[in-house]
Amino acid sequence: AAFLKIQVPCKSGSKITEFQKKESAMKNVTLPVLAVVLGIGVTGAHAETSLDMSSEYPVSSIHAQTADFFAKTLGEETNGDISVTVHHGGALGYKSVDHYDAVGDGAVQLASSFSGAWSGINPIFLVSSLPFIATSIEDTRKLYEATRPFYEKALEEDNQVFLYAAPWPASGFWANTPIDKPDALKGLKIRTYDTPGTKTLQNAGASPVQLSWGDIVPQLTTNGIDAVLTSADGGAGSQFWEYLSDFTEVNYALPLQVTHMNRDAFDDLGEEGQKAVLDAAKKAETFGWEALDSRVKANYAKLAENGVTVTTNVSADLLSLLKSSAAPEVEQWKERVGDDAQTLLDTYHELLAQ
């Protein structure tokens, strides 16, 4: 059988250059297509849809591996009819904050994005990274159950389909000393990933700087920052031990990574293709959540192998300071979101009580 490979087109606003489009088009012309162009008879043509997914995180990170699992599963379930190429490490030039418009506009068909980066678009996306709202895998799962309908609605309004989400391991502090007492935070130039985190650590006496993932290592190498708020997994994926010697576990939050798809590209797949995408997304979500517990243990082992000191016992005074510093930011988030915030949190607390 002959195969005709169709590249899903990008809409206006894409960062992909005309040269890249032409180059991609040439790469996707298979011999049977040339045969058609040259007038050679070809029968039994078979259409394959090729999609691109963007991720700014390194290939070894938990969510890069979950994205790869999704792509592999979808390819297997469709016998290669739908293929997804995952571009890790920001290879397409997008950060999570860019993904929202890039996917909505069709510049890229899918993306795996840190949801907290979208706080300026819609504050509902901040809920999973609010400090100390959910500090365990079990609580984070219930918070996700309460939140998912709001995510789906927000993305649908901007020409996107919510596919799945899974959390990062709990955020802590990477630094060159254990951050286990209140004094350790004073004046600390620490990277944060969203506004509530920035304000919380500022309230606690640190000097936070909000940065996208791709900007962290350059700032570490130039001493622009001397600490990072993120998970052990994120730091391990980017080999933070080359710059920092300690990781302190504080279970600050387990923020969600969201995989989303352009609505037009999804609709173009037809009913059977759409079902395959949603089935693969469901399996990928299960994969991402189930990987968490073993991943944390593996990360700590990897950190130890590379000389990183992991501190798991922090002072009650530090936790008290962080929680009191976070409280005004949670209240401000409620005010920004409005009635939906209370509805969401009420649902979450009901789930916690079950």
Side-chain angles (χ1 to χ4, degrees), residues 75-94:
E76 290 174 348
E77 292 190 352
T78 62
N79 294 315
D81 287 354
I82 304 175
S83 63
V84 175
T85 300
V86 185
H87 302 270
H88 299 295
L92 294 182
Y94 298 115

Side-chain angles (χ1 to χ4, degrees), residues 119-203:
S119 61
I121 299 167
N122 187 329
I124 199 71
F125 292 115
L126 272 176
V127 63
S128 69
S129 55
L130 290 174
F132 304 105
I133 294 295
T135 58
S136 68
I137 295 173
E138 295 77 14
D139 289 357
T140 302
R141 167 69 84 170
K142 292 174 181 178
L143 182 61
Y144 171 49
E145 290 177 24
T147 305
R148 177 167 178 155
F150 295 92
Y151 283 2
E152 290 175 334
K153 180 184 177 187
L155 286 166
E156 186 65 39
E157 289 174 351
D158 286 312
N159 198 42
Q160 300 176 62
V161 179
F162 178 99
L163 295 184
Y164 67 90
W168 285 94
S171 299
F173 300 133
W174 282 84
N176 278 316
T177 185
I179 310 298
D180 54 355
K181 297 179 177 62
D183 286 349
L185 280 175
K186 288 184 179 179
L188 189 70
K189 294 185 293 183
I190 183 168
R191 172 264 183 174
T192 58
Y193 46 69
D194 57 28
T195 301
T198 303
K199 295 290 183 64
T200 294
L201 289 172
Q202 193 173 54
N203 293 344

